[in-house]
């Protein structure tokens, strides 16, 4: 090659480095991966370094642990973020719990990146003193498993690297392909046909990655009121079910979130997973909702990744997705039923009370109970409390009991699997004559201030378009019965 030619080529490379270098340097500060081919990519080694740096640099808010190992024995890193100087919220209540995982599918880098970015945003913003991040970390535990399938990640393949044919008897191809971890959960495992080409494994939780994930859910985050599992493919958010086309029992909660996200934050389509894609069984989403009772979303970032030289900062690339995550996290308090007794009276054998459901999820089979330790001395009839509405209940059989305590007993959401809570209520049980009661009501009504409240409350109640327990919606509950 002529010297001049070699010089020109050297100059071209030098210029290319000059042009590209600032982009790479900027990106490196934020995202530990690199652009490879046409997508961003972070190795397991880079992730390991990154999460350990987080824990070392931020012991006040980051706890790092390994919750198990992949098929090829790589650690599955769990990052838990909260203000560890506070055991509870500042008002003494137990902190909210949120569960997030990424990287079920090893070649879906943007989904893994979104899990990474969510954790990174709270760490950066906490250190910057951002009020939103501080409020969240003082009131919430964020449990984030960024990369569930490190073996598939490093091999740039969807499945894990369990290539034993015995583990994969349903795949017709003669060459073993590994197991699709997002078909390996114990919720209607391999009950969608055809299972091929999804390689669900030899049985539910046959794979160490899914078993570790489910063990963690059951041991540490049973109380979670949000589970988001992050993937890449089409730009969509999917709520349960994948197994059935029916809307889930808590459709009201999911539709409410959909409407608020679409109205205020992002146009991302939000749908039932079965209708949004295709029937899918044994997914972590259906397990998270159908078995754990979490409100669950699969967050699919689109597949539109990067061309060489156009590598965009991942914070900018996934900014809209992060905005949706911040909304879901900021409003965690609302993603369940939250019952508050507002009025209460006893007349002879009848107890009458009104319950305000402050949460965005409905609940059925709720009761007000009078208890002495574990003994239920009296309980109201079962009642249903629709989301964001007030319910009046009258129950008989009260027998002038003494020495106990009042509590509300109800499920956080409609789905059978959702958690039961027993919450004590400060009420003074007292009986009064009909005469006393009438006088009190007259005085109350006479107070002009009370009337607008009644009107507003009634108008609010009346204006609700979606009432999950109207007769026309009874069919909705079928999916729950099948479960
Ligand atoms: Zn996926």
């Amino acid at each position: 090659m002529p010297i001049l030619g070699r010089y020109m080529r050297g100059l071209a490379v030098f210029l290319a480095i000059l042009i590209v270098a600032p982009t790479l340097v900027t990106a490196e500060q934020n995202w530990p991966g690199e652009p490879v081919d046409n997508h961003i990519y972070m190795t397991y080694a880079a992730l390991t370094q990154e999460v350990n740096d987080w824990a070392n640099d931020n012991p006040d808010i980051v706890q790092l642990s390994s919750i198990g190992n992949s098929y090829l024995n790589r650690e599955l890193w769990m990052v838990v973020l909260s203000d560890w100087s506070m055991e509870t919220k500042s008002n003494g209540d137990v902190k909210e719990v949120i569960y997030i995982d990424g990287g079920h599918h090893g070649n879906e880098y943007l989904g893994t990146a979104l899990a990474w970015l969510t954790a990174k945003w709270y760490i950066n913003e906490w250190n910057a003193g951002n009020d939103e991040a501080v409020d969240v970390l003082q009131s919430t535990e964020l449990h984030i498993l960024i990369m569930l399938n490190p073996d598939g990640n490093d091999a740039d393949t969807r499945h894990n690297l369990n290539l034993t044919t015995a583990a994969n008897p349903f795949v017709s191809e003669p060459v073993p392909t590994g197991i699709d971890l997002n078909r390996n959960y114990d919720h209607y495992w391999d009950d969608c046909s055809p299972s091929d080409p999804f390689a669900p494994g030899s049985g539910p939780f046959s794979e160490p990655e899914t078993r570790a994930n489910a063990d963690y859910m059951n041991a540490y985050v049973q109380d979670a009121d949000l589970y988001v599992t992050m993937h890449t493919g089409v730009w969509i958010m999917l709520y349960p079910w994948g197994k059935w086309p029916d809307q889930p029992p808590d459709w009201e909660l999911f539709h409410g979130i959909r409407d608020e996200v679409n109205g205020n934050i992002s146009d991302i389509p939000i749908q039932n997973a079965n209708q949004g894609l295709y029937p899918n069984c044994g997914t972590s989403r259906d397990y998270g909702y159908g078995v754990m009772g979490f409100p669950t979303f699969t967050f699919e970032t689109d597949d539109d990744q990067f061309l060489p030289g156009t590598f965009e900062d991942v914070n900018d690339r996934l900014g809209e997705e992060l905005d949706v995550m911040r909304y879901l996290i900021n409003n965690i308090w609302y993603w369940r039923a939250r019952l508050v007794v507002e009025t209460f009276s006893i007349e002879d054998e009848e107890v009458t009370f009104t319950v305000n459901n402050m949460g965005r999820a409905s609940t059925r089979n709720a009761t007000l109970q009078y208890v002495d330790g574990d003994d239920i001395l009296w309980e109201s009839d079962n009642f249903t409390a629709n989301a964001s509405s007030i319910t009046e209940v009258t129950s008989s059989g009260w027998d002038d009991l003494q020495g106990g305590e009042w509590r509300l007993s109800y499920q956080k959401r409609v789905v059978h699997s959702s958690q039961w809570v027993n919450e004590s209520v400060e009420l003074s049980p007292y009986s009064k004559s009909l005469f006393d009661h009438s006088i009190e009501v007259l005085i109350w009504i006479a107070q002009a201030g009370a009337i607008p409240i009644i009107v507003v409350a009634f108008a609010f109640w009346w204006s609700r378009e979606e009432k999950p327990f109207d007769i026309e919606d009874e069919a909705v509950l079928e999916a729950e019965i099948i479960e």
Side-chain angles (χ1 to χ4, degrees):
M1 184 182 288
I3 289 173
L4 186 63
R6 193 180 299 166
Y7 170 76
M8 289 301 288
R9 196 181 60 169
L11 182 65
V13 169
F14 176 70
L15 287 174
I17 290 170
L18 271 187
I19 294 163
V20 173
T23 316
L24 290 178
V25 168
T26 306
E28 203 173 67
Q29 287 169 350
N30 296 299
W31 167 249
E34 331 164 20
V36 169
D37 299 331
N38 66 340
H39 52 224
I40 56 171
Y41 175 70
M42 172 173 52
T43 61
Y44 169 73
L47 173 78
T48 300
Q49 180 67 52
E50 175 85 350
V51 294
N52 278 280
D53 287 349
W54 288 353
N56 292 335
D57 296 345
N58 305 275
D60 50 338
I61 54 165
V62 179
Q63 285 184 353
L64 178 67
S65 62
S66 166
I67 66 161
N69 294 85
S70 69
Y71 188 79
L72 295 182
N73 226 23
R74 293 182 170 103
E75 308 282 357
L76 304 175
W77 297 116
M78 178 68 67
V79 173
V80 188
L81 304 178
S82 194
D83 176 357
W84 300 117
S85 74
M86 299 170 62
E87 238 172 78
T88 64
K89 293 185 192 183
S90 52
N91 68 1
D93 287 352
V94 175
K95 288 179 180 176
E96 310 298 330
V97 178
I98 291 171
Y99 193 46
I100 295 169
D101 65 34
H104 270 80
H105 293 141
N107 57 358
E108 297 182 0
Y109 296 113
L110 276 178
T112 308
L114 182 57
W116 172 88
L117 180 63
T118 305
K120 184 67 173 168
W121 190 87
Y122 284 97
I123 294 171
N124 285 352
E125 296 305 312
W126 166 272
N127 286 321
N130 175 322
D131 286 343
E132 178 188 331
V134 171
D135 286 349
V136 164
L137 295 185
Q138 289 184 341
S139 60
T140 312
E141 288 181 10
L142 288 166
H143 297 243
I144 306 178
L145 194 168
I146 296 170
M147 190 185 287
L148 183 70
N149 181 9
D151 304 342
N153 180 84
D154 280 16
D156 193 13
T157 182
R158 176 182 176 91
H159 297 169
N160 76 352
L161 293 190
N162 177 2
L163 301 180
T164 59
T165 44
N168 198 4
F170 300 103
V171 173
S172 52
E173 296 93 271
V175 180
T177 58
I179 306 305
D180 187 334
L181 298 180
N182 205 28
R183 299 294 182 278
N184 189 237
Y185 285 79
D186 191 6
H187 183 270
Y188 291 84
W189 174 81
D190 196 33
D191 203 19
C192 291
S193 66
S195 60
D196 187 17
F198 288 108
S202 59
F205 294 139
S206 60
E207 305 311 297
E209 296 90 350
T210 52
R211 206 164 51 236
N213 202 18
D215 285 350
Y216 189 84
M217 290 183 200
N218 282 281
Y220 298 105
V221 295
Q222 321 91 304
D223 299 343
D225 287 321
L226 177 68
Y227 169 40
V228 182
T229 181
M230 294 171 171
H231 290 252
T232 306
V234 281
W235 194 53
I236 198 169
M237 286 179 73
L238 304 167
Y239 57 81
W241 304 104
K243 163 71 175 161
W244 301 286
D246 311 72
Q247 291 293 313
D250 292 286
W251 61 269
E252 184 187 37
L253 173 64
F254 292 112
H255 290 191
I257 290 172
R258 175 194 65 194
D259 295 347
E260 281 200 349
V261 168
N262 289 162
N264 305 321
I265 302 167
S266 169
D267 293 332
I268 188 168
I270 302 177
Q271 300 178 26
N272 163 310
N274 185 293
Q275 293 169 327
L277 286 178
Y278 39 75
N280 41 86
C281 282
T283 62
S284 75
R285 178 198 52 250
D286 279 12
Y287 179 83
Y289 183 62
V291 177
M292 301 303 300
F294 306 145
T296 303
F297 290 96
T298 305
F299 204 137
E300 295 260 1
T301 64
D302 64 78
D303 215 0
D304 185 17
Q305 299 177 348
F306 306 96
L307 295 172
T310 62
F311 184 52
E312 188 183 6
D313 186 307
V314 75
N315 300 51
D316 297 332
R317 171 61 185 76
L318 294 172
E320 189 169 331
E321 287 84 350
L322 181 62
D323 287 347
V324 175
M325 286 307 301
R326 284 165 52 198
Y327 159 80
L328 290 171
I329 291 168
N330 284 338
N331 293 289
I332 179 68
W333 194 85
Y334 293 100
W335 307 151
R336 49 166 281 198
R338 294 264 182 195
L339 303 190
V340 176
V341 176
E342 299 220 320
T343 69
F344 173 77
S345 66
I346 297 177
E347 276 176 41
D348 302 325
E349 292 189 356
E350 257 187 5
V351 179
T352 299
F353 56 95
T354 55
V355 169
N356 192 350
N357 183 355
M358 317 284 283
R360 305 282 189 85
S362 298
T363 183
R364 311 164 86 186
N365 306 319
T367 51
L368 178 67
Q369 302 175 336
Y370 191 68
V371 298
D372 184 5
D374 290 338
D375 291 341
I376 300 173
L377 306 178
W378 176 89
E379 65 182 331
S380 71
D381 298 335
N382 286 5
F383 62 92
T384 288
N386 281 328
S388 312
S389 67
I390 295 173
T391 306
E392 184 178 276
V393 181
T394 299
S395 282
S396 58
W398 177 258
D399 190 21
D400 202 22
L401 299 162
Q402 306 287 336
E405 293 174 336
W406 292 93
R407 73 177 188 194
L408 281 163
S409 180
Y410 60 100
Q411 282 181 287
K412 286 175 160 187
R413 285 165 286 273
V414 179
V415 66
H416 288 318
S417 53
S418 69
Q419 198 178 43
W420 282 90
V421 290
N422 292 309
E423 296 172 341
S424 38
V425 191
E426 293 290 327
L427 299 172
S428 323
Y430 60 92
S431 304
K432 54 191 166 186
S433 72
L434 189 60
F435 177 75
D436 290 341
H437 188 66
S438 304
I439 296 288
E440 192 174 80
V441 168
L442 281 174
I443 291 169
W444 185 62
I445 288 173
Q447 289 169 338
I451 293 169
I453 293 170
I454 298 169
V455 171
V456 169
F458 180 77
F460 182 67
W461 172 80
W462 190 252
S463 67
R464 289 167 43 77
E465 289 175 16
E466 295 179 345
K467 299 180 181 63
F469 303 110
D470 285 356
I471 292 161
E472 60 180 328
D473 295 316
E474 280 300 310
V476 164
L477 298 173
E478 279 175 16
E480 186 191 356
I481 292 159
I482 296 167
E483 174 200 327

